[in-house]
Amino acid sequence: MPINLTIPTLPFRPIDNNSKYIASGLALAYVAVDGNNLLKNYGYVGSVADIGLSNTSMVRQGGIVTTSFNGTDSLALSSSISWIMPERWTFAYWVKFSAIGGSEQAIFTLQGPSERHFGAWQDSQGIWAWQKHSIADSYSILPVEDFVVNDMVLVVAVYDNLLLPPAQLRSEKSLSWQPRQPVHYVVYNEAAGYPGSTIESIAIGSVVDGTNKFNGYLGPMYLWDRPLSDTEVWQLWQDPYAPFRRNSEQLLVPSSLTSSQGASLQGLGRSSGAAPIITDNNALYILVEDTHQYATDPAESTISTTSLLDIITINDSYIYQMLPTDSYDADAPFSLINISITDDYIYRSMPVDEVVGPETGVSAIQEINVLDGYVYYGLPTETLNTEVQLQDEILVVDNTLYRNLPVEDVET
């Protein structure tokens, strides 16, 4: 399921030649956040591809902001584009169909001087990804019997080879599962000849002449001039606004880092010392490793009713102001082969390591090891307390300097 449906802070930074990662090569990008009368293009083609809207509305569907088309007089059209169609491409759109089947309903159309060159639509056969070629058109279809009605899905089409038709992927109902090729899937006409190149008009929710009206909801729509990778498709499914969320799409480039010194570390919970300040204009993933000091104690516990645990290992390396507690609690018979607790810190209070047997049944713990290697202010105590207990071995190894006498007891 997508994990990030929150719209990034507006205004979006438009895509340009310096954009990286999933934003790289994004030519057309329409996100339904600019109001009911405009679909602004945030891709590198620029504002010439902005689309005016008529008789549409903005509606949230499945947590995603969409443009609602009524199937009769809704219109989204721009005829001022001058752009060369790329030889390879990827398009993606989030869609909720009011119905599947019947006559053609255009999702989007790119047209040259006199005819369509590229587009997506749904009709009685299914959902199309189509491109015109000089000899024979190429296209793929997601069949109608395999598609989802009245719920949001993500459709992705990738065209990466002149000798192959475009591949289509789609998510499941309610955007569950990342986009994949369904069982029922049809491709036609391996591409023959070169595709139509000059794009002068773009229409969303219809063809350029205003016919073949779409009835449903369209979320973000993207067109790249390159094929997306599997990882990028997964990222887009997780976050419909990923190309504009620059702090999640770009990775750290160490060679581009610059550093300086600050006067205080109070912002990091420290009261003194110089603070390193790291900045990078090209990457917003900057990894910072922090060491924390706890004011209250952490607790590690395992609660089991039926599990048979072989080993429990706890390794801590903190300085505590209060006492940590390591415990195992079971309501049913259990069989632990080994319990290991390794501590390496200074306590202000006395630690207690304890095994509590089950209320019913028999515990068969073969070995209990407690290894201590630190200085105590108070008396350490190791206790084994069960009503029925058969131990092969109990081993306590101390290598510490005590101020008081330690006591080891076994009670049965």
Side-chain angles (χ1 to χ4, degrees), residues 263-276 288-293:
S264 174
L265 285 179
Q266 292 183 3
L268 296 178
R270 300 174 177 88
S271 59
S272 62
V288 178
E289 182 176 351
D290 286 331
T291 300
H292 303 280
Q293 179 175 341

Side-chain angles (χ1 to χ4, degrees), residues 228-364:
L228 291 189
S229 66
D230 292 342
T231 300
E232 289 173 316
V233 171
W234 180 89
Q235 182 182 356
L236 192 67
W237 168 68
Q238 287 282 284
D239 184 356
Y241 309 102
F244 307 104
R245 210 177 301 278
R246 301 304 174 90
N247 62 339
S248 65
E249 67 166 3
Q250 299 184 11
L251 302 178
L252 178 65
V253 183
S255 61
S256 66
L257 293 178
T258 60
S259 63
S260 60
Q261 290 291 321
S264 174
L265 285 179
Q266 292 183 3
L268 296 178
R270 300 174 177 88
S271 59
S272 62
I277 300 173
I278 300 175
T279 61
D280 180 10
N281 292 330
N282 296 318
L284 294 180
Y285 264 145
I286 297 177
L287 304 179
V288 178
E289 182 176 351
D290 286 331
T291 300
H292 303 280
Q293 179 175 341
Y294 290 104
T296 59
D297 70 305
E300 295 90 8
S301 64
T302 299
I303 299 176
S304 174
T305 57
T306 60
S307 299
L308 300 178
L309 301 177
D310 291 340
I311 298 176
I312 297 177
T313 301
I314 299 172
N315 297 310
D316 293 328
S317 59
Y318 315 105
I319 298 176
Y320 293 108
Q321 292 184 2
M322 295 184 66
L323 176 68
T325 300
D326 310 315
S327 65
Y328 177 87
D329 186 10
D331 292 331
F334 60 92
S335 177
L336 289 175
I337 295 177
N338 186 32
I339 297 178
S340 297
I341 300 174
T342 303
D343 294 328
D344 185 20
Y345 34 71
I346 297 174
Y347 291 110
R348 296 188 180 182
S349 299
M350 181 174 66
V352 176
D353 308 316
E354 182 178 3
V355 174
V356 180
E359 296 178 359
T360 60
V362 177
S363 299

Side-chain angles (χ1 to χ4, degrees), residues 89-123:
W89 47 261
T90 300
F91 70 70
Y93 58 88
W94 284 256
V95 63
K96 178 180 178 180
F97 295 101
S98 297
I100 296 291
S103 59
E104 176 183 332
Q105 294 185 27
I107 298 166
F108 71 88
T109 303
L110 273 64
Q111 182 162 315
S114 60
E115 59 185 356
R116 278 193 285 179
H117 290 335
F118 182 72
W121 67 84
Q122 78 89 13
D123 62 14

Side-chain angles (χ1 to χ4, degrees), residues 169-235:
L169 311 173
R170 67 158 177 83
S171 63
E172 299 289 341
K173 182 178 180 180
S174 299
L175 300 174
S176 61
W177 294 97
Q178 69 186 74
R180 56 187 177 179
Q181 185 172 300
V183 175
H184 302 100
Y185 182 72
V186 183
V187 296
Y188 292 93
N189 291 354
E190 294 183 353
Y194 289 94
S197 58
T198 303
I199 302 298
E200 294 186 353
S201 302
I202 180 170
I204 295 178
S206 71
V207 294
V208 172
D209 65 5
T211 60
N212 300 348
K213 298 287 190 180
F214 172 75
N215 185 12
Y217 304 89
L218 289 174
M221 299 181 60
Y222 301 116
L223 173 61
W224 286 264
D225 63 9
R226 63 180 180 89
L228 291 189
S229 66
D230 292 342
T231 300
E232 289 173 316
V233 171
W234 180 89
Q235 182 182 356

